[in-house]
Amino acid sequence: MQTLAQHLQQQAIPESLTQLLLTLADTSKSISQAVRHGALAGILGATEQENVQGETQKKLDVITNDMLKDALQASGHVRGLASEEEDYVVPVSDAGEYLVCFDPLDGSSNIDINSLVGTIFSVLPALQGELTEQSFLQSGRQQVAAGYVLYGPSTILALTVGKGVSFFTLNPDSGAFLLTQDDVQITKDTAEFAINMSNQRFWEAPMQTYIADLLLGKIGPREKSFNMRWIAAMVGDVHRVLCRGGIFTYPTDNKNPEKPYKLRLMYEANPMAFLVEQAGGKATTGYQSILDIQPEAIHQRVAVILGSANEVDTCLEYHAEDYSGDEPTL
Ligand code: F6P
Ligand code: MN
């Protein structure tokens, strides 16, 4: 089986990008170790700190953020980094060719119940000039690589460098990431959806109607039964979509009018949208392709609908019917 390093050598990408991706993969091995030690290492539970978004940080959020930060600072290829757990962008090295955005431990509410968590990353080109937040505000189409590492029963790296999606499984004996699936393709059609149903009453009208029609099954307009899954870690839900198709959404809601969206554009939506498009799927807010969004702030949040192309198109038709030129007010 091909190792990650061998696979990257064949991709016709700059050596600096290969080295950066190997650094990210190596760090994820250490994160995998830390996660697996769980209570034995005394690293479960919350800290007393909040991140800039007002969320209580778990101990493992902080530990994994520091692990990635240290590794990227030592890599020599990183101009700056932005993390869900850092208030501001972090300048790294003037000579670095890349910017890295990451969610060090996605789904961290799953940590304490020994369920799926993962690391998500996005690599952008570094632009000339002083490093500021502005340097990071590039659309998802500018990404040169993106991926996630899922810490599940096995540790799996899903990666794209813009030439399709590959899965690598960590061999716990040798410590190598080995290519276990190349050219991952999301099925065009699906009968499985993923949404946090407890927010139903807060969604905007098109999503209400769309999900109601799925729930009607064979007697409804879709004339087929749908199954539902919700892992509460985007990384786990997106992995399932890449493996067997599906539609995943965290839509606009008015639960908290000051926070109509949950997922972060730079650390979650963009890298996952890049992977999904590279695997033949679609990723949208309901009104615009995720990858076309011009970011306005590093911690910006967006509505996300992604997965099997035909199902996302169907969901978009519900949105188009209600669309009058502006995103609907809730
Ligand atoms: O990072 C945000 C996140 O944890 C995602 O990984 C996940 O999809 C979502 O939030 C879960 O949200 P909720 O707790 O509302 O189900
Ligand atoms: Mn997350």
Side-chain angles (χ1 to χ4, degrees):
M1 271 184 209
Q2 229 179 24
T3 64
L4 173 64
Q6 287 164 342
H7 180 81
L8 289 173
Q9 296 303 340
Q10 294 177 353
Q11 298 306 305
I13 56 173
E15 181 59 21
S16 53
L17 183 56
T18 295
Q19 291 309 321
L20 171 56
L21 293 171
L22 291 174
T23 299
L24 285 165
D26 280 344
T27 314
S28 76
K29 292 178 199 170
S30 311
I31 296 177
S32 174
Q33 284 289 328
V35 168
R36 296 209 188 298
H37 280 84
L40 298 176
I43 52 179
L44 301 187
T47 65
E48 283 171 8
Q49 296 152 233
E50 283 189 349
N51 65 17
V52 69
Q53 296 147 88
E55 299 157 334
T56 305
Q57 288 177 307
K58 301 276 183 185
K59 287 183 195 164
L60 268 168
D61 285 327
V62 176
I63 293 167
T64 55
N65 185 58
D66 288 348
M67 288 164 87
L68 280 161
K69 217 166 91 172
D70 291 349
L72 292 174
Q73 283 171 335
S75 88
H77 298 295
V78 179
R79 176 81 183 87
L81 59 88
S83 160
E84 192 178 304
E85 304 301 338
E86 295 284 333
D87 294 1
Y88 307 105
V89 302
V90 180
V92 178
S93 156
D94 286 346
E97 304 96 317
Y98 302 103
L99 305 176
V100 184
C101 302
F102 57 88
D103 178 354
L105 206 62
D106 177 58
S108 55
S109 67
N110 277 351
I111 292 168
D112 296 340
I113 58 164
N114 197 27
S115 197
L116 287 183
V117 288
T119 298
I120 310 173
F121 59 87
S122 155
V123 184
L124 291 161
L127 307 175
Q128 301 272 315
E130 193 194 349
L131 185 100
T132 62
E133 176 169 352
Q134 190 63 36
S135 321
F136 286 79
L137 304 183
Q138 307 177 40
S139 82
R141 298 251 173 245
Q142 306 307 315
Q143 293 172 103
V144 294
Y148 60 78
V149 182
L150 178 64
Y151 310 110
S154 54
T155 292
I156 292 186
L157 164 67
L159 182 66
T160 184
V161 292
K163 301 165 196 279
V165 176
S166 306
F167 291 157
F168 301 84
T169 304
L170 180 63
N171 180 335
D173 303 322
S174 67
F177 271 113
L178 300 175
L179 180 67
T180 41
Q181 197 177 337
D182 211 1
D183 193 23
V184 174
Q185 289 290 324
I186 300 175
T187 57
K188 299 285 176 222
D189 294 296
T190 184
E192 196 163 66
F193 68 98
I195 193 165
N196 182 338
M197 282 296 297
S198 71
N199 294 325
Q200 180 175 17
R201 64 196 180 283
F202 302 113
W203 303 331
E204 58 183 20
M207 191 55 79
Q208 293 273 0
T209 317
Y210 169 68
I211 297 290
D213 285 352
L214 299 189
L215 294 175
L216 283 172
K218 288 190 177 146
I219 60 160
R222 301 301 307 281
E223 298 176 341
K224 69 175 181 181
S225 296
F226 281 79
N227 184 33
M228 198 203 87
R229 287 285 183 271
W230 187 248
I231 292 175
M234 185 191 197
V235 70
D237 279 310
V238 172
H239 188 65
R240 187 189 57 257
V241 166
L242 284 167
C243 289
R244 68 178 192 206
I247 183 165
F248 163 88
T249 174
Y250 212 112
T252 313
D253 69 47
N254 65 1
K255 196 172 176 179
N256 172 357
E258 284 170 17
K259 203 179 111 182
Y261 318 115
K262 172 129 192 200
L263 300 176
R264 289 82 170 177
L265 177 61
M266 306 301 287
Y267 320 113
E268 297 174 320
N270 269 343
M272 292 312 203
F274 191 20
L275 286 162
V276 164
E277 285 202 4
Q278 285 291 315
K282 291 196 171 176
T284 167
T285 62
Y287 305 97
Q288 182 183 18
S289 285
I290 301 267
L291 294 179
D292 289 331
I293 297 172
Q294 173 55 51
E296 289 168 6
I298 49 158
H299 294 303
Q300 176 176 347
R301 295 170 191 257
V302 286
V304 172
I305 303 166
L306 61 77
S308 294
N310 292 343
E311 195 55 42
V312 172
D313 281 343
T314 302
C315 185
L316 281 172
E317 284 166 20
Y318 285 75
H319 288 75
E321 278 168 22
D322 274 34
Y323 190 51
S324 57
D326 295 315
E327 291 201 21
T329 43
L330 295 165

